[in-house]
């Protein structure tokens, strides 16, 4: 969990967002352990509109013209399917929509889906 929190503070080059004025800028940070085939995974997310950020492992950017709710659902679906096409040990995911961080999700192998990490109070 600490490693994905550190990834949240990765400096994204501004050129990644040039020329995009309307919609939602998306940054997705995936902390995955033991991924069998990174190339296969990245091919899937690229096909779905996510671009890998150079020099960073499992950090992606995209642009959305839908609502934040639809964008969030799409992110979770794309990354869930990408992981299901592979073998891996564990995964955590966090994303930013227009620089607003959303809660961390973990991949639950029992439900085969991302679940919201419950923060203890």
């Amino acid at each position: 969990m600490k490693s994905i929190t550190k990834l949240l503070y990765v400096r994204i080059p501004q050129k990644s967002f040039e020329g995009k004025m309307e919609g939602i800028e998306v940054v997705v940070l995936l902390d995955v352990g033991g991924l069998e085939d990174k190339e296969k995974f990245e091919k899937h997310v690229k096909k779905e509109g996510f671009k890998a950020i150079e020099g960073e492992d499992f950090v992606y950017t995209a642009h959305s013209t839908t609502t934040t709710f639809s964008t969030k659902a799409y992110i979770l679906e794309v990354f869930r399917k990408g992981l299901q096409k592979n073998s891996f040990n564990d995964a955590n995911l966090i994303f930013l929509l227009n620089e607003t961080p959303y809660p961390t999700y973990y991949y639950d192998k029992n439900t085969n889906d991302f679940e919201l990490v419950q923060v203890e109070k």
Side-chain angles (χ1 to χ4, degrees), residues 95-107:
F95 50 91
L96 305 160
L97 302 182
N98 285 338
E99 298 183 15
T100 301
Y102 279 70
T104 303
Y105 289 83
Y106 71 96
Y107 190 88

Side-chain angles (χ1 to χ4, degrees), residues 28-77:
V28 179
L29 311 153
L30 180 68
D31 182 17
V32 61
L35 185 66
E36 182 180 274
D37 190 343
K38 182 179 179 182
E39 187 176 310
K40 183 178 181 180
F41 177 81
E42 292 203 331
K43 183 178 178 182
H44 168 76
V45 296
K46 182 179 180 181
K47 182 183 85 168
E48 297 297 336
F50 293 89
K51 179 182 170 190
I53 294 181
E54 279 187 51
E56 301 295 336
D57 280 342
F58 301 106
V59 181
Y60 307 91
T61 186
H63 182 79
S64 175
T65 57
T66 64
T67 65
T68 55
F69 181 81
S70 295
T71 300
K72 175 185 140 185
Y74 185 70
I75 291 167
L76 294 172
E77 180 69 11

Side-chain angles (χ1 to χ4, degrees), residues 6 8 12 22 29 33 51 57 67-68 79 83 85-86 101:
K6 288 178 185 177
L8 181 60
I12 308 302
E22 294 182 29
L29 311 153
K51 179 182 170 190
D57 280 342
T67 65
T68 55
F79 283 82
L83 289 171
K85 292 180 177 188
N86 249 300

